[in-house]
Amino acid sequence: MNTPRREYFNPLRSPIGRRLLFQTLGLSFVLTLFITAYLLHSDYQRGLKQFESQLDQIKHSYLPSLSYSLWNFDRLQIESQLAGIMNFPGIQHVAIITLDQHTYQAGNQPRAHDERVLYNLTFELDEQNYPIGQLIIHRSYDQLHQDIQRRGVDILITQLIKMLSISILILYLVNRVVSRRLWKLSHWANSIELLPNHDIEAPRFNDSVKDELTQLVNAIRNMQERLQQEAATQLESRRQLENTKEKLAIAIDNASIGFCEYDVFNNQFQANHHFMRHIGLHNHNASLHPNLLKVLLNALQGEKADEQREYIDQLLNGMVHRIADHYTLATLYGEQRFLDITLQATHYANNKPTLVLICSTDKTDEHSASQQAKELTIDLENKITQRTEALYHEQHQAKNTIHRLNTQVHALSKRLEQQQEQRFHQLLTRELSRCKDHMPDGLLPIIYHYLVLVTPLNTATINVSRCIEEWLQQQPMTQQQQIQLALPLSLMLDESPQLLQFLLTHLVTQHPLLTVKNTIHLKVAIQGNQGVVHIRFADTAEQDEQSVPIAFELCQYIISTHLQGQLTQEKHDDGVCVRFDFALHKT
């Protein structure tokens, strides 16, 4: 049992030490790379910010003085200032190009990879800026890259030295504190036996403080005592197990559970009478059917029979450990049985089961009752469905009848209302026609004109845009006023074209704001289910912008009743706008 001393202290012979060393080195190397990348990135960003601050300093300090020197043709001052700019770190070349292509420069010639910064030089005289040239600065990042490289090498070397030192120290401490003591502990654990009164002295460590390994030794000693106690009680447990098996056999027999152990290798089985009754072999000589699984597979029926046979074959080949399913079998007597069968492999040889445990429960009575309940439920559901469909059909017919009657009542009411209104219009038109030659100026002739249009009212499908264009061609004002149109290509409406032109006549040509100086903006647009007409009178500063046409209220009535819209007049900064909308689909 004594091991040479070199095995205790050689770190490379300890698997834990080697694994800890490699993991520590790998993690430390990754952390070193991340830290180095972060520090180099920070230094690089700091260098870029320093370059930007230098450019800001040149922009605010040198540009005004350079502009002044260049304006005064002070060559010595310009060269001095260019030399001052060259003193900034990273500046490789600086040049000034005047408008007459004269060049002042300092530093080395620029290279292709240098950065080029351009500033325009202007001179302010009498509050005006005069361009006098351009300042071109070429700067290089070579020095910054060299500094970053030197910084990266220094960081990597220091971090690698620190990483190796810590790893070696950890390897030494692990070997000293853990590996050697675990080696002693493993030899002691291998010599432990479970025989009664067999005890081997545990290894003693020279440490003065009890640590986790000391607790492990105590735990192994306690485990040895418990295992010896378990070995002492194992015989009593076996006796109790035999007694329990007898009771379990009685319980299985009382519960009518089929139980069978099938030896696949020898093609033999041991089964109780319940199992034999379930598969229909209780009145036959079992020796006539030595292949029990073949009888079981041939007796399977139902839609899942082929799939169930495939699963049983997979269990016999070791691909499945356990199968539990509902099976439908046809016995040798022609009876159909419904069984819950569980097949489980309990012993294996060469990855194939040699012993299969089969348990079965007869569910034939439950299945028959369930099938009868399903049939009753389906019959009840069919009756409910037929009655529901009949009620739905009757309800749908009633709704259609009510809707048709409501539509007819609404149409009849509207037709009656229109007929009554037409009679009134005819009466009023006839009376007004008698005295039309003696009508005073005002709203009455306009109302008479309106009544002539709507008695009777001939509606048709019209194009609003084309109707407005035709109305403009008939108006003499188009020769004097400037009219700006914004009409859609096509906007269809079921209405009388004479009624629409009547509205335009009294809202545009008869408007008090209409003068020769006016510019009229006429726009038609669509907003949702409404059409909108905008009429704007511009250049109305000298007119009373609150005045409205004499037939304004009559137009409001026409638009609200015939067009199902609204008429408004509003004052804006650019003139007065008359707006009315109309429904594209009347209700």
Side-chain angles (χ1 to χ4, degrees), residues 34-69:
F34 277 110
I35 293 172
T36 303
Y38 175 75
L39 294 175
L40 295 181
H41 179 71
S42 300
D43 293 343
Y44 185 73
Q45 294 296 327
R46 193 180 300 110
L48 293 179
K49 290 181 179 178
Q50 184 179 2
F51 281 169
E52 295 299 328
S53 63
Q54 291 173 4
L55 290 178
D56 291 340
Q57 184 178 356
I58 292 172
K59 181 178 180 181
H60 294 92
S61 300
Y62 282 84
L63 288 185
S65 58
L66 280 172
S67 300
Y68 181 79
S69 301

Side-chain angles (χ1 to χ4, degrees), residues 259-271 275 289-294 315-316 343-349 352-358:
F259 188 81
C260 175
E261 284 187 347
Y262 180 69
D263 189 349
V264 181
F265 184 76
N266 297 320
N267 196 17
Q268 297 178 355
F269 65 92
Q270 294 180 356
F275 183 81
H289 303 279
N291 197 336
L292 176 64
L293 284 183
K294 184 176 181 181
L315 184 139
L316 296 178
L343 297 91
Q344 182 169 351
T346 56
H347 291 82
Y348 287 86
K352 287 190 176 182
T354 59
L355 188 63
V356 177
L357 179 63
I358 306 175

Side-chain angles (χ1 to χ4, degrees), residues 51 89-90 92 140-150:
F51 281 169
Q92 298 294 324
S140 175
Y141 294 96
D142 293 343
Q143 185 63 36
L144 178 61
H145 293 165
Q146 293 175 3
D147 295 340
I148 294 298
Q149 290 176 359
R150 288 195 297 270

Side-chain angles (χ1 to χ4, degrees), residues 17 20 22 91 101 130 143 172 183 187 225-226 231 244 274 289 332 418 437 479 487 531 551 561 578 580-581:
L20 184 61
F22 294 148
I91 303 299
Q101 301 301 318
Y130 296 93
Q143 185 63 36
Y172 173 76
W183 187 87
H187 278 272
E225 294 175 358
R226 291 195 300 271
T244 303
H274 295 299
H289 303 279
L332 298 177
Q418 290 178 355
D437 296 333
Q479 305 298 328
L487 304 177
T561 56
V578 178
F580 70 89
D581 51 7

